[in-house]
Amino acid sequence: MNVQITSINISYTDGAINKVQVYFSASTANYEINISGYVPLTADQYNGNESIDKLTEIVKRTIIEKLSPAA
């Protein structure tokens, strides 16, 4: 699955990061399946994971978790 980060929305409270929304779009190689949305992160989850590569991995894991049935 090809995942692209389309934007990052950072919310601040008193000058510190409060929450982050990582917007994405994703599709299979042949574009049969498309998905888009955002993954909410806390400041702690975002800190240290600011790179696009790390955020993309977080988004991929979140998509899999949300689409997989609960055990």
Side-chain angles (χ1 to χ4, degrees):
M1 179 163 281
N2 179 30
V3 175
Q4 287 188 315
I5 304 298
T6 56
S7 68
I8 301 167
N9 185 12
I10 301 173
S11 174
Y12 295 90
T13 301
D14 297 326
I17 294 175
N18 180 37
K19 62 183 177 178
V20 178
Q21 295 172 322
V22 181
Y23 288 84
F24 69 91
S25 63
S27 63
T28 56
N30 58 5
Y31 298 100
E32 288 179 338
I33 298 173
N34 295 292
I35 186 171
S36 63
Y38 74 91
V39 173
L41 300 177
T42 64
D44 289 339
Q45 291 170 317
Y46 181 71
N47 289 328
N49 293 309
E50 296 92 342
S51 76
I52 295 299
D53 289 338
K54 288 183 179 182
L55 290 174
T56 300
E57 287 305 313
I58 291 171
V59 168
K60 286 179 181 180
R61 283 195 315 265
T62 303
I63 291 170
I64 291 168
E65 289 170 7
K66 297 289 184 179
L67 295 178
S68 297

